[in-house]
Amino acid sequence: MTGLLLKDLLNLKRMTKQYVLILGAMCVWSVMMKNPSFISMYTVLCTAMMVPSSFTYDEYAQFDKYALTMPLTRRALVKEKYLLLLLLVGGGMALGTMISVFINCFIREDVLELVGTGVVMGSLFLLVYSIIIPLIYKWGAEKARMIMVMVYLGLFGAVYGVVWLVKRGSFSLWPAGLSEGQLMAVLVGGALAITLVALAVSYRVSMEIIKRKEY
């Protein structure tokens, strides 16, 4: 398991330079917009995008077919990809939150809100990839990329729609009797709970797919 994870991290290392440059530009943009939450979301996006790239590298090298000739099981291959997902999204969430808190030193917004936003964003991306990974196992990384774009558009379109309705006053997300801090705690807790369930279901589906897959 450790060897598989190290293999993916070494493959993805070649992408880090371009992402560092992009994140640097996005940090400047975040300061200009006076929106530290933006960089938090973008950092998680960058790290999460490395997950399908790891599948692409494996497909080009036909790694799974080779790995199964060694004392490795299909279960180990699937577990490693989900571990990589948690590591990359968790790392992106932590890094993005730290950067947004640093930027906030110049903007002076609520730090707890920034941390909560970072956790919710990380949960959203984990939710997206709980849908995407089984599709990658089913149809391959390249075909799944188009579906991934549609999932992103659908999810963030729904989020934007809710925000738009709230701003219009069509309904309120603020339950009676809850303070701002309590509401954020409810949102974070709910996001984490939904994400854990989605990942568990996603893992079981991926296992069933790869059991039937012929290499």
PDB file of all heavy atoms in Angstrom, residues 100-117:
ATOM      1  N   SER A 100      -5.521  31.186   3.172  1.00  0.00           N
ATOM      2  CA  SER A 100      -6.640  32.130   3.310  1.00  0.00           C
ATOM      3  C   SER A 100      -6.581  32.865   4.645  1.00  0.00           C
ATOM      4  O   SER A 100      -6.898  34.057   4.715  1.00  0.00           O
ATOM      5  CB  SER A 100      -7.976  31.399   3.165  1.00  0.00           C
ATOM      6  OG  SER A 100      -8.192  30.483   4.223  1.00  0.00           O
ATOM      7  N   VAL A 101      -6.157  32.163   5.708  1.00  0.00           N
ATOM      8  CA  VAL A 101      -6.019  32.813   7.018  1.00  0.00           C
ATOM      9  C   VAL A 101      -4.895  33.859   6.969  1.00  0.00           C
ATOM     10  O   VAL A 101      -5.016  34.951   7.534  1.00  0.00           O
ATOM     11  CB  VAL A 101      -5.755  31.780   8.125  1.00  0.00           C
ATOM     12  CG1 VAL A 101      -5.363  32.461   9.437  1.00  0.00           C
ATOM     13  CG2 VAL A 101      -6.996  30.916   8.352  1.00  0.00           C
ATOM     14  N   PHE A 102      -3.807  33.529   6.250  1.00  0.00           N
ATOM     15  CA  PHE A 102      -2.704  34.491   6.106  1.00  0.00           C
ATOM     16  C   PHE A 102      -3.163  35.729   5.332  1.00  0.00           C
ATOM     17  O   PHE A 102      -2.893  36.867   5.741  1.00  0.00           O
ATOM     18  CB  PHE A 102      -1.524  33.844   5.394  1.00  0.00           C
ATOM     19  CG  PHE A 102      -0.411  34.800   5.073  1.00  0.00           C
ATOM     20  CD1 PHE A 102       0.434  35.254   6.078  1.00  0.00           C
ATOM     21  CD2 PHE A 102      -0.223  35.264   3.778  1.00  0.00           C
ATOM     22  CE1 PHE A 102       1.457  36.149   5.791  1.00  0.00           C
ATOM     23  CE2 PHE A 102       0.787  36.156   3.480  1.00  0.00           C
ATOM     24  CZ  PHE A 102       1.635  36.604   4.497  1.00  0.00           C
ATOM     25  N   ILE A 103      -3.873  35.500   4.220  1.00  0.00           N
ATOM     26  CA  ILE A 103      -4.391  36.624   3.440  1.00  0.00           C
ATOM     27  C   ILE A 103      -5.360  37.454   4.280  1.00  0.00           C
ATOM     28  O   ILE A 103      -5.420  38.685   4.172  1.00  0.00           O
ATOM     29  CB  ILE A 103      -5.083  36.114   2.160  1.00  0.00           C
ATOM     30  CG1 ILE A 103      -4.037  35.520   1.204  1.00  0.00           C
ATOM     31  CG2 ILE A 103      -5.847  37.240   1.451  1.00  0.00           C
ATOM     32  CD1 ILE A 103      -4.637  34.860  -0.018  1.00  0.00           C
ATOM     33  N   ASN A 104      -6.085  36.771   5.150  1.00  0.00           N
ATOM     34  CA  ASN A 104      -7.067  37.443   5.994  1.00  0.00           C
ATOM     35  C   ASN A 104      -6.425  38.428   6.977  1.00  0.00           C
ATOM     36  O   ASN A 104      -7.095  39.315   7.498  1.00  0.00           O
ATOM     37  CB  ASN A 104      -7.887  36.410   6.765  1.00  0.00           C
ATOM     38  CG  ASN A 104      -9.069  37.023   7.478  1.00  0.00           C
ATOM     39  OD1 ASN A 104      -9.903  37.673   6.864  1.00  0.00           O
ATOM     40  ND2 ASN A 104      -9.131  36.855   8.792  1.00  0.00           N
ATOM     41  N   CYS A 105      -5.121  38.250   7.231  1.00  0.00           N
ATOM     42  CA  CYS A 105      -4.423  39.203   8.102  1.00  0.00           C
ATOM     43  C   CYS A 105      -4.488  40.617   7.536  1.00  0.00           C
ATOM     44  O   CYS A 105      -4.421  41.597   8.280  1.00  0.00           O
ATOM     45  CB  CYS A 105      -2.959  38.787   8.281  1.00  0.00           C
ATOM     46  SG  CYS A 105      -2.733  37.244   9.179  1.00  0.00           S
ATOM     47  N   PHE A 106      -4.642  40.725   6.197  1.00  0.00           N
ATOM     48  CA  PHE A 106      -4.708  42.026   5.550  1.00  0.00           C
ATOM     49  C   PHE A 106      -6.152  42.469   5.292  1.00  0.00           C
ATOM     50  O   PHE A 106      -6.404  43.625   4.977  1.00  0.00           O
ATOM     51  CB  PHE A 106      -3.959  41.986   4.217  1.00  0.00           C
ATOM     52  CG  PHE A 106      -2.551  41.483   4.345  1.00  0.00           C
ATOM     53  CD1 PHE A 106      -2.242  40.152   4.061  1.00  0.00           C
ATOM     54  CD2 PHE A 106      -1.531  42.314   4.770  1.00  0.00           C
ATOM     55  CE1 PHE A 106      -0.950  39.673   4.182  1.00  0.00           C
ATOM     56  CE2 PHE A 106      -0.232  41.843   4.897  1.00  0.00           C
ATOM     57  CZ  PHE A 106       0.063  40.526   4.606  1.00  0.00           C
ATOM     58  N   ILE A 107      -7.098  41.512   5.407  1.00  0.00           N
ATOM     59  CA  ILE A 107      -8.490  41.820   5.074  1.00  0.00           C
ATOM     60  C   ILE A 107      -9.375  41.876   6.307  1.00  0.00           C
ATOM     61  O   ILE A 107     -10.379  42.581   6.351  1.00  0.00           O
ATOM     62  CB  ILE A 107      -9.026  40.781   4.054  1.00  0.00           C
ATOM     63  CG1 ILE A 107      -8.176  40.831   2.778  1.00  0.00           C
ATOM     64  CG2 ILE A 107     -10.486  41.045   3.716  1.00  0.00           C
ATOM     65  CD1 ILE A 107      -8.522  39.765   1.767  1.00  0.00           C
ATOM     66  N   ARG A 108      -9.019  41.079   7.330  1.00  0.00           N
ATOM     67  CA  ARG A 108      -9.723  41.105   8.620  1.00  0.00           C
ATOM     68  C   ARG A 108     -11.169  40.609   8.540  1.00  0.00           C
ATOM     69  O   ARG A 108     -12.093  41.282   8.923  1.00  0.00           O
ATOM     70  CB  ARG A 108      -9.718  42.526   9.213  1.00  0.00           C
ATOM     71  CG  ARG A 108      -8.337  43.144   9.356  1.00  0.00           C
ATOM     72  CD  ARG A 108      -7.511  42.415  10.384  1.00  0.00           C
ATOM     73  NE  ARG A 108      -6.200  43.042  10.580  1.00  0.00           N
ATOM     74  CZ  ARG A 108      -5.262  42.573  11.371  1.00  0.00           C
ATOM     75  NH1 ARG A 108      -5.477  41.476  12.049  1.00  0.00           N
ATOM     76  NH2 ARG A 108      -4.099  43.193  11.480  1.00  0.00           N
ATOM     77  N   GLU A 109     -11.347  39.377   8.035  1.00  0.00           N
ATOM     78  CA  GLU A 109     -12.651  38.750   8.090  1.00  0.00           C
ATOM     79  C   GLU A 109     -12.671  37.729   9.230  1.00  0.00           C
ATOM     80  O   GLU A 109     -11.678  37.541   9.921  1.00  0.00           O
ATOM     81  CB  GLU A 109     -12.997  38.083   6.747  1.00  0.00           C
ATOM     82  CG  GLU A 109     -13.248  39.084   5.629  1.00  0.00           C
ATOM     83  CD  GLU A 109     -13.793  38.414   4.377  1.00  0.00           C
ATOM     84  OE1 GLU A 109     -13.987  37.172   4.409  1.00  0.00           O
ATOM     85  OE2 GLU A 109     -14.027  39.116   3.386  1.00  0.00           O
ATOM     86  N   ASP A 110     -13.804  37.043   9.412  1.00  0.00           N
ATOM     87  CA  ASP A 110     -13.952  36.070  10.483  1.00  0.00           C
ATOM     88  C   ASP A 110     -13.118  34.817  10.180  1.00  0.00           C
ATOM     89  O   ASP A 110     -13.373  34.121   9.190  1.00  0.00           O
ATOM     90  CB  ASP A 110     -15.427  35.690  10.628  1.00  0.00           C
ATOM     91  CG  ASP A 110     -15.680  34.811  11.850  1.00  0.00           C
ATOM     92  OD1 ASP A 110     -14.706  34.412  12.501  1.00  0.00           O
ATOM     93  OD2 ASP A 110     -16.853  34.536  12.139  1.00  0.00           O
ATOM     94  N   VAL A 111     -12.137  34.530  11.038  1.00  0.00           N
ATOM     95  CA  VAL A 111     -11.235  33.394  10.809  1.00  0.00           C
ATOM     96  C   VAL A 111     -11.989  32.075  10.907  1.00  0.00           C
ATOM     97  O   VAL A 111     -11.762  31.150  10.107  1.00  0.00           O
ATOM     98  CB  VAL A 111     -10.062  33.422  11.810  1.00  0.00           C
ATOM     99  CG1 VAL A 111      -9.209  32.166  11.666  1.00  0.00           C
ATOM    100  CG2 VAL A 111      -9.210  34.660  11.600  1.00  0.00           C
ATOM    101  N   LEU A 112     -12.898  31.946  11.866  1.00  0.00           N
ATOM    102  CA  LEU A 112     -13.661  30.703  12.020  1.00  0.00           C
ATOM    103  C   LEU A 112     -14.497  30.420  10.778  1.00  0.00           C
ATOM    104  O   LEU A 112     -14.645  29.264  10.363  1.00  0.00           O
ATOM    105  CB  LEU A 112     -14.561  30.788  13.250  1.00  0.00           C
ATOM    106  CG  LEU A 112     -13.859  30.713  14.612  1.00  0.00           C
ATOM    107  CD1 LEU A 112     -14.868  30.847  15.745  1.00  0.00           C
ATOM    108  CD2 LEU A 112     -13.085  29.393  14.754  1.00  0.00           C
ATOM    109  N   GLU A 113     -15.017  31.468  10.183  1.00  0.00           N
ATOM    110  CA  GLU A 113     -15.787  31.290   8.949  1.00  0.00           C
ATOM    111  C   GLU A 113     -14.896  30.788   7.824  1.00  0.00           C
ATOM    112  O   GLU A 113     -15.306  29.946   7.019  1.00  0.00           O
ATOM    113  CB  GLU A 113     -16.436  32.611   8.552  1.00  0.00           C
ATOM    114  CG  GLU A 113     -17.325  32.494   7.317  1.00  0.00           C
ATOM    115  CD  GLU A 113     -18.004  33.806   6.962  1.00  0.00           C
ATOM    116  OE1 GLU A 113     -18.097  34.683   7.840  1.00  0.00           O
ATOM    117  OE2 GLU A 113     -18.428  33.941   5.800  1.00  0.00           O
ATOM    118  N   LEU A 114     -13.662  31.289   7.752  1.00  0.00           N
ATOM    119  CA  LEU A 114     -12.729  30.833   6.725  1.00  0.00           C
ATOM    120  C   LEU A 114     -12.387  29.358   6.905  1.00  0.00           C
ATOM    121  O   LEU A 114     -12.346  28.597   5.941  1.00  0.00           O
ATOM    122  CB  LEU A 114     -11.442  31.667   6.775  1.00  0.00           C
ATOM    123  CG  LEU A 114     -11.554  33.128   6.340  1.00  0.00           C
ATOM    124  CD1 LEU A 114     -10.226  33.840   6.544  1.00  0.00           C
ATOM    125  CD2 LEU A 114     -11.988  33.227   4.883  1.00  0.00           C
ATOM    126  N   VAL A 115     -12.148  28.950   8.156  1.00  0.00           N
ATOM    127  CA  VAL A 115     -11.829  27.550   8.430  1.00  0.00           C
ATOM    128  C   VAL A 115     -13.026  26.657   8.079  1.00  0.00           C
ATOM    129  O   VAL A 115     -12.877  25.610   7.442  1.00  0.00           O
ATOM    130  CB  VAL A 115     -11.437  27.356   9.911  1.00  0.00           C
ATOM    131  CG1 VAL A 115     -11.252  25.874  10.231  1.00  0.00           C
ATOM    132  CG2 VAL A 115     -10.153  28.128  10.226  1.00  0.00           C
ATOM    133  N   GLY A 116     -14.219  27.092   8.492  1.00  0.00           N
ATOM    134  CA  GLY A 116     -15.421  26.334   8.170  1.00  0.00           C
ATOM    135  C   GLY A 116     -15.642  26.221   6.679  1.00  0.00           C
ATOM    136  O   GLY A 116     -16.003  25.150   6.161  1.00  0.00           O
ATOM    137  N   THR A 117     -15.405  27.316   5.956  1.00  0.00           N
ATOM    138  CA  THR A 117     -15.544  27.308   4.503  1.00  0.00           C
ATOM    139  C   THR A 117     -14.567  26.328   3.869  1.00  0.00           C
ATOM    140  O   THR A 117     -14.915  25.601   2.930  1.00  0.00           O
ATOM    141  CB  THR A 117     -15.314  28.717   3.926  1.00  0.00           C
ATOM    142  OG1 THR A 117     -16.264  29.622   4.492  1.00  0.00           O
ATOM    143  CG2 THR A 117     -15.444  28.717   2.413  1.00  0.00           C
TER     144      THR A 117
END
